[in-house]
Amino acid sequence: MPQKHPLSMVSRENKVFYVFGGSALVIFFALVGFTEYPSWVNATVLFVVGIFVPLLVNRFLDDRGS
């Protein structure tokens, strides 16, 4: 019997948050390192991409699956 991949226990919601959270960190550090935006702009981008967008994506996917 083939063994399951260890990440098979991770839910779709968590995968969405992992992808957007990682992307948010990359974007955040790029903004901090290469731009002169105020810190509130960087924090807003981190919040929106890392928290708000994944919530919307998960809600959309939940509604579409129902």
Side-chain angles (χ1 to χ4, degrees):
M1 173 179 263
Q3 290 186 345
K4 288 188 172 185
H5 193 273
L7 291 180
S8 64
M9 296 295 293
V10 178
S11 68
R12 176 190 44 83
E13 290 87 0
N14 286 340
K15 289 178 186 177
V16 169
F17 270 101
Y18 293 155
V19 168
F20 279 98
S23 300
L25 287 174
V26 169
I27 293 168
F28 175 76
F29 286 121
L31 287 174
V32 169
F34 301 117
T35 66
E36 297 293 327
Y37 292 128
S39 60
W40 67 268
V41 172
N42 298 334
T44 302
V45 169
L46 183 65
F47 176 78
V48 168
V49 176
I51 297 173
F52 189 68
V53 173
L55 287 173
L56 291 176
V57 169
N58 279 327
R59 180 175 295 171
F60 171 76
L61 293 174
D62 288 343
D63 291 343
R64 189 181 70 165
S66 300

